[in-house]
PDB file of all heavy atoms in Angstrom:
ATOM      1  N   LEU V 104      -8.407  -1.297  -0.960  1.00  0.00           N
ATOM      2  CA  LEU V 104      -7.321  -1.443  -1.924  1.00  0.00           C
ATOM      3  C   LEU V 104      -7.867  -1.583  -3.344  1.00  0.00           C
ATOM      4  O   LEU V 104      -7.338  -0.982  -4.282  1.00  0.00           O
ATOM      5  CB  LEU V 104      -6.430  -2.640  -1.580  1.00  0.00           C
ATOM      6  CG  LEU V 104      -5.260  -2.880  -2.534  1.00  0.00           C
ATOM      7  CD1 LEU V 104      -4.340  -1.665  -2.615  1.00  0.00           C
ATOM      8  CD2 LEU V 104      -4.477  -4.117  -2.114  1.00  0.00           C
ATOM      9  N   ASP V 105      -8.929  -2.344  -3.508  1.00  0.00           N
ATOM     10  CA  ASP V 105      -9.529  -2.503  -4.835  1.00  0.00           C
ATOM     11  C   ASP V 105      -9.967  -1.150  -5.400  1.00  0.00           C
ATOM     12  O   ASP V 105      -9.743  -0.856  -6.578  1.00  0.00           O
ATOM     13  CB  ASP V 105     -10.733  -3.455  -4.776  1.00  0.00           C
ATOM     14  CG  ASP V 105     -10.336  -4.876  -4.421  1.00  0.00           C
ATOM     15  OD1 ASP V 105      -9.141  -5.223  -4.519  1.00  0.00           O
ATOM     16  OD2 ASP V 105     -11.234  -5.654  -4.028  1.00  0.00           O
ATOM     17  N   PHE V 106     -10.575  -0.322  -4.558  1.00  0.00           N
ATOM     18  CA  PHE V 106     -10.991   1.014  -4.985  1.00  0.00           C
ATOM     19  C   PHE V 106      -9.782   1.864  -5.343  1.00  0.00           C
ATOM     20  O   PHE V 106      -9.752   2.517  -6.388  1.00  0.00           O
ATOM     21  CB  PHE V 106     -11.809   1.701  -3.875  1.00  0.00           C
ATOM     22  CG  PHE V 106     -12.116   3.137  -4.165  1.00  0.00           C
ATOM     23  CD1 PHE V 106     -13.043   3.485  -5.141  1.00  0.00           C
ATOM     24  CD2 PHE V 106     -11.486   4.154  -3.460  1.00  0.00           C
ATOM     25  CE1 PHE V 106     -13.336   4.820  -5.423  1.00  0.00           C
ATOM     26  CE2 PHE V 106     -11.771   5.487  -3.719  1.00  0.00           C
ATOM     27  CZ  PHE V 106     -12.687   5.819  -4.706  1.00  0.00           C
ATOM     28  N   TRP V 107      -8.767   1.863  -4.504  1.00  0.00           N
ATOM     29  CA  TRP V 107      -7.571   2.658  -4.752  1.00  0.00           C
ATOM     30  C   TRP V 107      -6.916   2.258  -6.081  1.00  0.00           C
ATOM     31  O   TRP V 107      -6.546   3.120  -6.880  1.00  0.00           O
ATOM     32  CB  TRP V 107      -6.585   2.510  -3.586  1.00  0.00           C
ATOM     33  CG  TRP V 107      -5.418   3.430  -3.713  1.00  0.00           C
ATOM     34  CD1 TRP V 107      -5.338   4.737  -3.329  1.00  0.00           C
ATOM     35  CD2 TRP V 107      -4.152   3.116  -4.300  1.00  0.00           C
ATOM     36  NE1 TRP V 107      -4.117   5.250  -3.638  1.00  0.00           N
ATOM     37  CE2 TRP V 107      -3.364   4.280  -4.227  1.00  0.00           C
ATOM     38  CE3 TRP V 107      -3.611   1.970  -4.871  1.00  0.00           C
ATOM     39  CZ2 TRP V 107      -2.059   4.329  -4.714  1.00  0.00           C
ATOM     40  CZ3 TRP V 107      -2.315   2.020  -5.358  1.00  0.00           C
ATOM     41  CH2 TRP V 107      -1.550   3.190  -5.274  1.00  0.00           C
ATOM     42  N   LEU V 108      -6.818   0.960  -6.315  1.00  0.00           N
ATOM     43  CA  LEU V 108      -6.223   0.477  -7.579  1.00  0.00           C
ATOM     44  C   LEU V 108      -7.102   0.842  -8.777  1.00  0.00           C
ATOM     45  O   LEU V 108      -6.579   1.220  -9.841  1.00  0.00           O
ATOM     46  CB  LEU V 108      -6.001  -1.041  -7.511  1.00  0.00           C
ATOM     47  CG  LEU V 108      -4.902  -1.507  -6.554  1.00  0.00           C
ATOM     48  CD1 LEU V 108      -4.944  -3.018  -6.385  1.00  0.00           C
ATOM     49  CD2 LEU V 108      -3.526  -1.047  -7.023  1.00  0.00           C
ATOM     50  N   ALA V 109      -8.415   0.749  -8.623  1.00  0.00           N
ATOM     51  CA  ALA V 109      -9.326   1.129  -9.707  1.00  0.00           C
ATOM     52  C   ALA V 109      -9.161   2.613 -10.034  1.00  0.00           C
ATOM     53  O   ALA V 109      -9.174   3.003 -11.216  1.00  0.00           O
ATOM     54  CB  ALA V 109     -10.772   0.816  -9.328  1.00  0.00           C
ATOM     55  N   CYS V 110      -8.981   3.432  -9.027  1.00  0.00           N
ATOM     56  CA  CYS V 110      -8.758   4.868  -9.244  1.00  0.00           C
ATOM     57  C   CYS V 110      -7.421   5.126  -9.932  1.00  0.00           C
ATOM     58  O   CYS V 110      -7.328   6.005 -10.805  1.00  0.00           O
ATOM     59  CB  CYS V 110      -8.805   5.630  -7.924  1.00  0.00           C
ATOM     60  SG  CYS V 110     -10.448   5.702  -7.181  1.00  0.00           S
ATOM     61  N   GLN V 111      -6.399   4.372  -9.553  1.00  0.00           N
ATOM     62  CA  GLN V 111      -5.094   4.510 -10.216  1.00  0.00           C
ATOM     63  C   GLN V 111      -5.233   4.220 -11.706  1.00  0.00           C
ATOM     64  O   GLN V 111      -4.723   4.950 -12.550  1.00  0.00           O
ATOM     65  CB  GLN V 111      -4.062   3.571  -9.596  1.00  0.00           C
ATOM     66  CG  GLN V 111      -3.579   3.975  -8.229  1.00  0.00           C
ATOM     67  CD  GLN V 111      -2.825   5.281  -8.234  1.00  0.00           C
ATOM     68  OE1 GLN V 111      -3.395   6.330  -7.940  1.00  0.00           O
ATOM     69  NE2 GLN V 111      -1.566   5.242  -8.593  1.00  0.00           N
ATOM     70  N   GLU V 112      -5.917   3.139 -12.026  1.00  0.00           N
ATOM     71  CA  GLU V 112      -6.126   2.767 -13.422  1.00  0.00           C
ATOM     72  C   GLU V 112      -6.992   3.817 -14.128  1.00  0.00           C
ATOM     73  O   GLU V 112      -6.712   4.196 -15.261  1.00  0.00           O
ATOM     74  CB  GLU V 112      -6.794   1.396 -13.507  1.00  0.00           C
ATOM     75  CG  GLU V 112      -7.037   0.956 -14.940  1.00  0.00           C
ATOM     76  CD  GLU V 112      -7.825  -0.339 -15.040  1.00  0.00           C
ATOM     77  OE1 GLU V 112      -8.612  -0.648 -14.117  1.00  0.00           O
ATOM     78  OE2 GLU V 112      -7.655  -1.021 -16.056  1.00  0.00           O
ATOM     79  N   PHE V 113      -8.015   4.306 -13.452  1.00  0.00           N
ATOM     80  CA  PHE V 113      -8.937   5.285 -14.029  1.00  0.00           C
ATOM     81  C   PHE V 113      -8.190   6.533 -14.497  1.00  0.00           C
ATOM     82  O   PHE V 113      -8.492   7.095 -15.553  1.00  0.00           O
ATOM     83  CB  PHE V 113     -10.007   5.663 -12.996  1.00  0.00           C
ATOM     84  CG  PHE V 113     -10.988   6.681 -13.486  1.00  0.00           C
ATOM     85  CD1 PHE V 113     -12.028   6.301 -14.332  1.00  0.00           C
ATOM     86  CD2 PHE V 113     -10.883   8.009 -13.126  1.00  0.00           C
ATOM     87  CE1 PHE V 113     -12.944   7.232 -14.796  1.00  0.00           C
ATOM     88  CE2 PHE V 113     -11.797   8.948 -13.569  1.00  0.00           C
ATOM     89  CZ  PHE V 113     -12.826   8.562 -14.415  1.00  0.00           C
ATOM     90  N   LYS V 114      -7.195   6.948 -13.739  1.00  0.00           N
ATOM     91  CA  LYS V 114      -6.430   8.158 -14.086  1.00  0.00           C
ATOM     92  C   LYS V 114      -5.653   8.006 -15.384  1.00  0.00           C
ATOM     93  O   LYS V 114      -5.212   8.998 -15.953  1.00  0.00           O
ATOM     94  CB  LYS V 114      -5.473   8.524 -12.950  1.00  0.00           C
ATOM     95  CG  LYS V 114      -6.191   9.014 -11.710  1.00  0.00           C
ATOM     96  CD  LYS V 114      -5.227   9.558 -10.685  1.00  0.00           C
ATOM     97  CE  LYS V 114      -4.745   8.516  -9.739  1.00  0.00           C
ATOM     98  NZ  LYS V 114      -3.975   9.028  -8.607  1.00  0.00           N
ATOM     99  N   THR V 115      -5.503   6.791 -15.871  1.00  0.00           N
ATOM    100  CA  THR V 115      -4.736   6.575 -17.103  1.00  0.00           C
ATOM    101  C   THR V 115      -5.593   6.707 -18.363  1.00  0.00           C
ATOM    102  O   THR V 115      -5.060   6.773 -19.459  1.00  0.00           O
ATOM    103  CB  THR V 115      -4.057   5.187 -17.113  1.00  0.00           C
ATOM    104  OG1 THR V 115      -5.072   4.173 -17.182  1.00  0.00           O
ATOM    105  CG2 THR V 115      -3.194   4.989 -15.874  1.00  0.00           C
ATOM    106  N   PHE V 116      -6.903   6.724 -18.208  1.00  0.00           N
ATOM    107  CA  PHE V 116      -7.800   6.853 -19.365  1.00  0.00           C
ATOM    108  C   PHE V 116      -7.874   8.303 -19.808  1.00  0.00           C
ATOM    109  O   PHE V 116      -7.878   9.212 -18.974  1.00  0.00           O
ATOM    110  CB  PHE V 116      -9.215   6.346 -19.034  1.00  0.00           C
ATOM    111  CG  PHE V 116      -9.289   4.890 -18.691  1.00  0.00           C
ATOM    112  CD1 PHE V 116      -9.905   4.468 -17.527  1.00  0.00           C
ATOM    113  CD2 PHE V 116      -8.744   3.926 -19.534  1.00  0.00           C
ATOM    114  CE1 PHE V 116      -9.976   3.122 -17.206  1.00  0.00           C
ATOM    115  CE2 PHE V 116      -8.808   2.577 -19.215  1.00  0.00           C
ATOM    116  CZ  PHE V 116      -9.425   2.174 -18.052  1.00  0.00           C
ATOM    117  N   ASP V 117      -7.954   8.515 -21.120  1.00  0.00           N
ATOM    118  CA  ASP V 117      -8.095   9.885 -21.596  1.00  0.00           C
ATOM    119  C   ASP V 117      -9.282  10.076 -22.531  1.00  0.00           C
ATOM    120  O   ASP V 117      -9.730  11.184 -22.748  1.00  0.00           O
ATOM    121  CB  ASP V 117      -6.804  10.398 -22.237  1.00  0.00           C
ATOM    122  CG  ASP V 117      -6.189   9.406 -23.201  1.00  0.00           C
ATOM    123  OD1 ASP V 117      -6.824   8.396 -23.551  1.00  0.00           O
ATOM    124  OD2 ASP V 117      -5.035   9.647 -23.614  1.00  0.00           O
ATOM    125  N   SER V 118      -9.822   9.009 -23.057  1.00  0.00           N
ATOM    126  CA  SER V 118     -10.994   9.099 -23.929  1.00  0.00           C
ATOM    127  C   SER V 118     -12.234   9.400 -23.086  1.00  0.00           C
ATOM    128  O   SER V 118     -12.486   8.724 -22.076  1.00  0.00           O
ATOM    129  CB  SER V 118     -11.162   7.781 -24.687  1.00  0.00           C
ATOM    130  OG  SER V 118     -12.504   7.487 -24.911  1.00  0.00           O
ATOM    131  N   PRO V 119     -13.041  10.406 -23.477  1.00  0.00           N
ATOM    132  CA  PRO V 119     -14.262  10.713 -22.722  1.00  0.00           C
ATOM    133  C   PRO V 119     -15.198   9.510 -22.578  1.00  0.00           C
ATOM    134  O   PRO V 119     -15.809   9.326 -21.521  1.00  0.00           O
ATOM    135  CB  PRO V 119     -14.920  11.827 -23.546  1.00  0.00           C
ATOM    136  CG  PRO V 119     -13.790  12.467 -24.288  1.00  0.00           C
ATOM    137  CD  PRO V 119     -12.811  11.358 -24.563  1.00  0.00           C
ATOM    138  N   ASP V 120     -15.289   8.692 -23.617  1.00  0.00           N
ATOM    139  CA  ASP V 120     -16.140   7.501 -23.530  1.00  0.00           C
ATOM    140  C   ASP V 120     -15.611   6.515 -22.490  1.00  0.00           C
ATOM    141  O   ASP V 120     -16.387   5.951 -21.706  1.00  0.00           O
ATOM    142  CB  ASP V 120     -16.257   6.814 -24.893  1.00  0.00           C
ATOM    143  CG  ASP V 120     -17.099   7.601 -25.878  1.00  0.00           C
ATOM    144  OD1 ASP V 120     -17.872   8.482 -25.437  1.00  0.00           O
ATOM    145  OD2 ASP V 120     -16.985   7.328 -27.089  1.00  0.00           O
ATOM    146  N   GLU V 121     -14.298   6.285 -22.497  1.00  0.00           N
ATOM    147  CA  GLU V 121     -13.690   5.380 -21.511  1.00  0.00           C
ATOM    148  C   GLU V 121     -13.881   5.924 -20.095  1.00  0.00           C
ATOM    149  O   GLU V 121     -14.212   5.175 -19.173  1.00  0.00           O
ATOM    150  CB  GLU V 121     -12.181   5.225 -21.770  1.00  0.00           C
ATOM    151  CG  GLU V 121     -11.816   4.274 -22.880  1.00  0.00           C
ATOM    152  CD  GLU V 121     -10.305   4.181 -23.023  1.00  0.00           C
ATOM    153  OE1 GLU V 121      -9.620   5.219 -23.004  1.00  0.00           O
ATOM    154  OE2 GLU V 121      -9.819   3.046 -23.162  1.00  0.00           O
TER     155      GLU V 121
END
Side-chain angles (χ1 to χ4, degrees):
L104 180 58
D105 294 343
F106 172 72
W107 187 84
L108 290 170
C110 291
Q111 287 296 97
E112 180 186 27
F113 179 78
K114 291 188 270 189
T115 67
F116 297 128
D117 46 11
S118 147
D120 289 342
E121 281 181 315

